[in-house]
Amino acid sequence: MRDTVRQEIVARQLDEQIAGRYPVGQRLRILDVGMGQGAQALRLARAGHTITGMEADAGLLKAAREALAGEPAGIRERVRLVEGDGRETGVHFLPGSFDVVLCHGVLMYVEEPDPLLAGLARMLAPGGLLSLVVRNADALALRPGLAGDWAGALAAFDTGARADRPGGTVRADRLESLTATLAGIAAPLHAWYGVRVFTDNVPPDQGLPAAVDLERLLAAEDRAGRTEPYRRVAALLHLCGVRG
């Protein structure tokens, strides 16, 4: 459920930003850095856009290739997959090569994100859209607190990282600091949303509810991600910057 909510809510928000910047029917050049298994890349390719997916993890790249192989030929022709790290975009592409750059769920695994972000901004054509999904550092205490883990909640107030899996942690970012970073790389913040306000605490393996209940759940998450003060305590933040 958590992954479904994340992918669907981010997709709605991203589509809203694209529709607000580009004419209906325009085929965009989109770079998806850290594309994972390719959920957003394939969705955008089905919408008619030209996609370059970049992924450093060989296993995830294999899964993306297998998913792409199941698509019709017309969609496969619009997708190019590249094995590589997001910090190496300058090696693979010329500056200004893309209308939209996605970097979803990547910064949390990068110790020094500023060089990566600067490189991504350089890939954008003037007026291009940079879409980031990050872990929200201002909401780290919420999950352990709601689960009754008071020690974990207290510790989360004083850290910029959170347990991701046994033995591992991920970084988290604050809206204010990323706003300053985006301004500094000439892709100032244009809009931001919360993602997974209500469903971050569900078990990782929890399945989906019936269709009517799922649609209500998504409607509630969609609205909360746009509404103060709910979006500020979302597990994830979706930030959209625009290249000047």
Side-chain angles (χ1 to χ4, degrees):
M1 180 190 292
R2 289 170 58 193
D3 187 60
T4 296
V5 170
R6 169 184 165 176
Q7 296 291 355
E8 176 61 24
I9 296 302
V10 169
R12 294 182 185 190
Q13 296 163 352
L14 182 60
D15 287 351
E16 178 178 84
Q17 290 301 311
I18 289 175
R21 299 204 60 77
Y22 299 102
V24 175
Q26 180 174 340
R27 293 192 172 186
L28 303 175
R29 303 163 298 166
I30 299 178
L31 173 64
D32 189 353
V33 172
M35 67 179 294
Q37 298 182 25
Q40 292 295 335
L42 291 178
R43 185 186 69 82
L44 291 164
R46 295 182 195 114
H49 304 300
T50 300
I51 311 297
T52 300
M54 194 172 192
E55 177 56 58
D57 185 286
L60 292 175
L61 188 60
K62 180 176 182 291
R65 292 190 192 281
E66 291 172 352
L68 179 61
E71 296 290 330
I75 293 176
R76 295 198 304 270
E77 292 168 359
R78 291 198 290 271
V79 179
R80 174 192 176 198
L81 301 182
V82 177
E83 184 170 4
D85 191 286
R87 290 164 289 196
E88 302 168 351
T89 50
V91 175
H92 298 276
F93 317 111
L94 293 174
S97 295
F98 299 96
D99 304 302
V100 179
V101 173
L102 313 181
C103 185
H104 296 171
V106 174
L107 293 192
M108 58 188 72
Y109 300 105
V110 179
E111 290 188 13
E112 297 293 338
D114 287 6
L116 168 62
L117 291 173
L120 298 184
R122 285 193 291 271
M123 295 299 104
L124 284 168
L129 179 69
L130 176 60
S131 172
L132 307 174
V133 175
V134 303
R135 173 62 59 176
N136 182 10
D138 290 325
L140 291 178
L142 201 59
R143 183 193 286 186
L146 291 174
D149 176 8
W150 309 120
L154 288 168
F157 283 112
D158 301 314
T159 182
R162 135 185 122 70
D164 181 50
R165 57 180 66 89
T169 60
V170 296
R171 285 183 57 261
D173 291 283
R174 288 187 163 81
L175 176 64
E176 290 75 12
S177 61
L178 277 180
T179 298
T181 298
L182 290 172
I185 61 175
L189 184 68
H190 174 72
W192 71 276
Y193 308 87
V195 178
R196 237 167 41 208
V197 176
F198 302 123
T199 52
D200 197 53
N201 255 30
V202 301
D205 59 350
Q206 181 164 323
L208 297 176
V212 64
D213 292 326
L214 177 60
E215 189 49 46
R216 290 186 183 124
L217 183 160
L218 291 171
E221 285 280 8
D222 188 20
R223 184 164 179 178
R226 304 164 183 272
T227 305
E228 295 285 5
Y230 303 101
R231 63 178 181 166
R232 290 190 176 270
V233 295
L236 306 170
L237 299 177
H238 181 193
L239 292 80
C240 299
V242 174
R243 180 70 167 169

